[in-house]
Amino acid sequence: MRTTITIEDEVVSGIKELQRKFPKKSFNEIVNETLKRGLSLTAEIPQKEFSINPLDAEHKKNLDFDNIGRLLEIIDGAEHK
């Protein structure tokens, strides 16, 4: 298939570096081989199950959640900035 895409400058630089290492391969061959390698890597990434274990939270009577600056000062100390 023939298509037109925009390739970022740093990607082109990487492809040209590969062309210097493998001068018998064309730009297209290098792009296709690199894309195939990249696609095969994503297929191998194991999908780890994600779960959240919530903790019981206590309501703190003296905390004003409308004043974020004060909350940060309580959590991180007076020099939080």
Side-chain angles (χ1 to χ4, degrees):
M1 179 176 113
R2 181 181 277 272
T3 188
T4 302
I5 62 170
T6 302
I7 302 175
E8 296 175 6
D9 292 340
E10 65 184 70
V11 175
V12 172
S13 295
I15 293 169
K16 289 185 178 185
E17 180 65 32
L18 288 172
Q19 277 186 303
R20 283 190 281 282
K21 290 180 183 178
F22 306 100
K24 292 184 179 183
K25 293 194 176 198
S26 71
F27 186 89
N28 286 341
E29 286 175 314
I30 292 173
V31 169
N32 282 310
E33 287 176 12
T34 305
L35 286 171
K36 286 177 188 176
R37 259 188 247 122
L39 289 170
S40 70
L41 289 177
T42 59
E44 295 172 9
I45 297 173
Q47 297 298 320
K48 187 175 179 181
E49 189 172 317
F50 179 77
S51 65
I52 297 175
N53 299 318
L55 302 173
D56 290 333
E58 296 177 23
H59 177 68
K60 305 288 185 186
K61 293 181 182 180
N62 297 329
L63 295 180
D64 177 8
F65 290 95
D66 292 328
N67 186 342
I68 300 299
R70 179 70 183 127
L71 285 173
L72 289 171
E73 190 174 309
I74 292 167
I75 294 168
D76 295 335
E79 298 182 20
H80 71 277
K81 295 180 182 181

